[in-house]
Amino acid sequence: MKYILVSGGVISGVGKGIIASSCGLLLKTLGLTVSSIKVDPYLNIDAGLMSPIEHGEVYVLDDGGEVDLDLGNYERYLNITLSRDQNVTTGKIYQHVIERERRGDYLGKTVQIVPHLTDAIQDWIERVARIPVDNSGREPDVCIVELGGTVGDIESAPFIEAMSQLQRRAGQHNFLQIHVSYTPLIGSEQKTKPTQRAISDVRSAGLRPDLIACRCETPLAESTIQKIANSCQVERDQVVGVHNVSTTYMVPILLESQGFLNTLSRILEVHTIPKHPKLVDYGKAIWQDWQGLATSQDQILGTVTIALVGKYTSLHDSYLSVSKALEHAAMHCKKKLDLLWIDASNLEEGTQETAPAEYYKAWHAVSTANGILVPGGFGTRGTEGMMKAARWARMNNIPYLGVCLGMQLAVVEYAQNVCGMEKASSAEFDETCEQPIVVYMPEVDKTKMGATMRLGKRRTVFQPGTEWSRIRKLYGEKKDIWERHRHRYEVNPEMVETLENAGLHFVGKDETAQRMEIVELKDHKWYVGVQFHPEYLSRVLAPSKTFLGFFAAAAGCLEGITAVFKDRHDLSHQGVEIAPADATAESESA
């Protein structure tokens, strides 16, 4: 197993996740299998109870793990499927060590940070790194470990020590460190001192950076690169610049143009890793597709405006997977995305928080958008504004997509304004409402919060007689689909017959036909609500069909997109399948 550690210095949020993901993609182009692990040095067990406004979105995996949003970057770039164990937190590690101590596993020893905690970190990483993550079923050749935060943070110290020990445990040519630093531009001069200090801090902590990735506003000048190389005692090709580009999908191309992959391959001696011919061909194919999609964005003229009406729009990372799924759809529709971020509260007239100027600005954006999207969320704030946006889309034949809460509110709005159920509401907002359209799921434990929702990948079955459905047509002959979920509330099964008699069709249900998964209006360009979160399975090279259909409807090209994508297999993004009989058919070079 070969490991790549991606750490950060100077400031947080410099793009370690994108650089780690880009590194993995480039390695996959050589025919290697790549896995990823994210280390988050906070005490939370997982990201499930973190505020989206503080920490960004909670990303959900197939196994129901609620994890850091960077795991979404890994899955989107590397076309892999990760598990909850690939997100390591301080809380998880301490819990693991304390449970072992309580069982007596340490045989009476005084349990300490070193060696017990640091050994547990290394053992965890070595175990998880070997779990297959794609359709090939192969143990990964390389595992990329991203260390959250910045080196020097007190909470990161145990992980830094563990990584220092792991580089010795892994051995020469099996461990490489990429340190991401910030190179500020002051006036017209690129300052290298912060990077010099950051590298000094890393080395004093026991690590030896092999590559220095410098985040900067403009391309690094050759003199700046030489200065960093000289002052940090590395070769010229061990310094790469990652300047601002038009789209993050250009970052792998930017790195490759600087010889980044060649340097990685030389230090890790990638040529010694046996490679399967099918994976080599697959790697070449995905790189060609990636380059075509990423570079085509600069030549596209047509723009599609999408109004995202949400609760957490003050931090765009709160809806990171949603915005990325829209970007994937835009690339495949050959259009530019103009995403308007609208606080749902600003659509509510007369509320104390909404200034008149913000109210009219929000409504102008909604009324002029090509499509309206209401994503997931929790709590009552802004829900009236979300329902108003859904009603506007329904009444004016504007393409609409409601995800989780957005689906539930679309159903409540329909019940109120079409079915005449004036007191219709959700039990999430009013537990005593007389006409509960949305109810608490019976199997969910109300006494706990963490990891108690309906989580992970679940089955949705298209219902008989719904062949007209626009979203169903995108899936061709498939009668069921699998998507990731994260919710506590659901549409009340007792209200379904009334709603369907009024024209609101539940075209997708779970395998028991009791849980509503997809709702759709028949005589509308695209009015779809889904209980699941399709954004979690959207990939750059395999966009979510739910988001693709919505965006294509907004762009006016739904029929053409349906014809192209209806026969594409949902799991094509996970790579090639390799039969056990082919396991010995390895190629010695890429």
Side-chain angles (χ1 to χ4, degrees), residues 115-152:
H116 302 102
L117 192 74
T118 53
D119 283 350
I121 294 169
Q122 294 174 77
D123 294 343
W124 187 301
I125 289 174
E126 287 186 319
R127 173 179 60 84
V128 173
R130 299 183 181 279
I131 298 173
V133 291
D134 59 26
N135 283 353
S136 71
R138 289 163 54 101
E139 180 180 294
D141 301 305
V142 181
C143 179
I144 299 173
V145 182
E146 180 191 345
L147 178 61
T150 56
V151 173

Side-chain angles (χ1 to χ4, degrees), residues 438-509:
V438 176
V439 296
Y440 205 92
M441 296 169 59
E443 71 270 30
V444 175
D445 185 355
K446 289 187 177 182
T447 65
K448 298 179 181 178
M449 292 292 289
T452 58
M453 289 183 279
R454 182 170 179 249
L455 295 163
K457 204 169 187 180
R458 310 289 180 124
R459 184 182 177 207
T460 294
V461 181
F462 288 115
Q463 298 301 292
T466 61
E467 289 74 16
W468 56 266
S469 164
R470 288 168 174 78
I471 186 172
R472 180 173 181 172
K473 287 178 181 177
L474 276 165
Y475 290 91
E477 298 300 318
K478 289 179 66 66
K479 290 183 171 58
D480 59 1
I481 56 176
W482 291 79
E483 294 280 358
R484 295 176 182 176
H485 294 69
R486 184 176 187 251
H487 64 113
R488 289 190 180 91
Y489 295 85
E490 64 178 343
V491 174
N492 188 349
E494 296 178 3
M495 297 290 186
V496 169
E497 184 177 356
T498 300
L499 292 163
E500 289 199 311
N501 288 339
L504 191 63
H505 301 280
F506 292 93
V507 302
K509 302 180 182 180

Side-chain angles (χ1 to χ4, degrees), residues 23 38 65 74 128 143 177 203 217 227 248 338 383 440 469 486 498 512:
C23 173
K38 174 67 187 295
Y74 308 152
V128 173
C143 179
Q177 185 190 357
R203 286 181 173 149
E217 281 80 13
K227 187 174 182 179
T248 56
D338 180 17
T383 52
Y440 205 92
S469 164
R486 184 176 187 251
T498 300
T512 69

